[in-house]
Amino acid sequence: MTPDGISIRAVELDDLDAIAEIYSTLWCNTLRNRGDLEDAKLASRFNIAMQLERSPIALVAESGAGIVAACCVGIFDSGSPRQNDAWEPTYRDLLGRATVRAEQGDAKLEGSLFGDSREKVTADQFAASGNEYAQGQINLIIIRPDWQGRGLGRTLIERARAELRAQGCTKFFLMTDNQSDYAFYDHLGMVRIAEDHSQDTGDGFIVYMYGDEA
Ligand SMILES: CC(C)(COP(=O)(O)OP(=O)(O)OC[C@H]1O[C@@H](n2cnc3c(N)ncnc32)[C@H](O)[C@@H]1OP(=O)(O)O)[C@@H](O)C(=O)NCCC(=O)NCCS
């Protein structure tokens, strides 16, 4: 059930900055804490555009005060991610800017810019292997901190499932990690289908893959 005062609609091109702002609040802390506000803005805009470019299904939740959550969902056709053409020019533009900036910066900046893209390489390899869950992928689900815990995450996952079913998908997967709120997926009854320790550089970082019925 959609929480009171919230409406859910498809993402529009003008929504990029509002979604990126939520992403930056949640995941660009190191850049923001050291004062790299422009880099945090570039990293968040680039990563959201990257997710949207591979998400034919993209939803935002809006309160009277603006966008408070987003959910991006991909679809695989014979093991390949379906592109969202509307986002291609924005993605290409930001990819160019992120590539130039990464060459000038340090490892933290590079990781903030391209860590999510590397995760997509793993997702695409998984999908290309023909795994039964690789019909759809929840690419991103983010709730603004002051709106967490009010049912929006569950609502958006249910909407994502319905949209996937409408596209003929019977199963889906998602990727998360032990620095994100992965227990949310356990709580919703999803199954952890794989984990990857190869990106652990001494900080104990583990990537988790979850799967479920659509
Ligand atoms: C994780 C996240 C998407 C959950 O969304 P939310 O709107 O806060 O969650 P909801 O209010 O819809 O919670 C639905 C249920 O999940 C439970 N839940 C929510 N977050 C949880 C967590 N981190 N661990 C375990 N259970 C959780 C709630 O208690 C609730 O349970 P109930 O319905 O049985 O009472 C949101 O907190 C978020 O954006 N976190 C930061 C970004 C992130 O880590 N994203 C996901 C990993 S990539």
Side-chain angles (χ1 to χ4, degrees), residues 26-27 140-144 147-155 174-177 179-185 187-188:
L26 292 171
W27 282 313
L140 180 84
I141 178 161
I142 48 174
I143 318 294
R144 210 173 73 182
W147 276 85
Q148 290 177 9
R150 302 201 216 177
L152 271 175
R154 187 189 281 278
T155 300
L174 60 84
M175 294 178 71
T176 182
D177 58 68
Q179 293 176 5
S180 300
D181 290 334
Y182 65 90
F184 171 64
Y185 304 117
H187 186 80
L188 294 190

Side-chain angles (χ1 to χ4, degrees), residues 23-35 40 108 112:
Y23 179 98
S24 178
T25 305
L26 292 171
W27 282 313
C28 294
N29 291 327
T30 308
L31 293 177
R32 286 190 297 112
N33 289 345
R34 70 187 195 187
K108 180 62 206 170
S112 297

Side-chain angles (χ1 to χ4, degrees), residues 40-186:
K41 189 171 178 189
L42 175 62
S44 54
R45 294 182 85 235
F46 167 62
N47 279 303
I48 294 301
M50 183 275 292
Q51 301 287 7
L52 286 164
E53 193 267 343
R54 50 181 291 143
S55 296
I57 303 163
L59 303 166
V60 283
E62 227 172 8
S63 77
I67 290 173
V68 296
C71 182
C72 301
V73 186
I75 295 167
F76 290 89
D77 300 310
S78 307
S80 296
R82 192 184 300 173
Q83 204 170 290
N84 183 337
D85 293 334
W87 285 94
E88 172 74 12
T90 310
Y91 167 62
R92 289 282 154 211
D93 173 50
L94 288 164
L95 173 61
R97 288 197 237 175
T99 303
V100 169
R101 188 68 192 106
E103 284 164 4
Q104 301 163 341
D106 60 9
K108 180 62 206 170
L109 176 59
E110 198 281 338
S112 297
L113 288 166
F114 287 107
D116 290 2
S117 300
R118 278 194 282 277
E119 197 179 282
K120 297 303 172 196
V121 174
T122 308
D124 288 350
Q125 286 166 350
F126 176 71
S129 76
N131 188 286
E132 60 178 327
Y133 286 101
Q135 300 175 37
Q137 180 182 7
I138 297 190
N139 284 316
L140 180 84
I141 178 161
I142 48 174
I143 318 294
R144 210 173 73 182
D146 55 330
W147 276 85
Q148 290 177 9
R150 302 201 216 177
L152 271 175
R154 187 189 281 278
T155 300
L156 285 169
I157 294 277
E158 289 313 314
R159 283 288 294 265
R161 285 183 207 275
E163 300 269 356
L164 283 166
R165 286 196 301 271
Q167 293 287 331
C169 301
T170 58
K171 288 181 165 49
F172 69 91
F173 75 103
L174 60 84
M175 294 178 71
T176 182
D177 58 68
N178 63 340
Q179 293 176 5
S180 300
D181 290 334
Y182 65 90
F184 171 64
Y185 304 117
D186 292 311

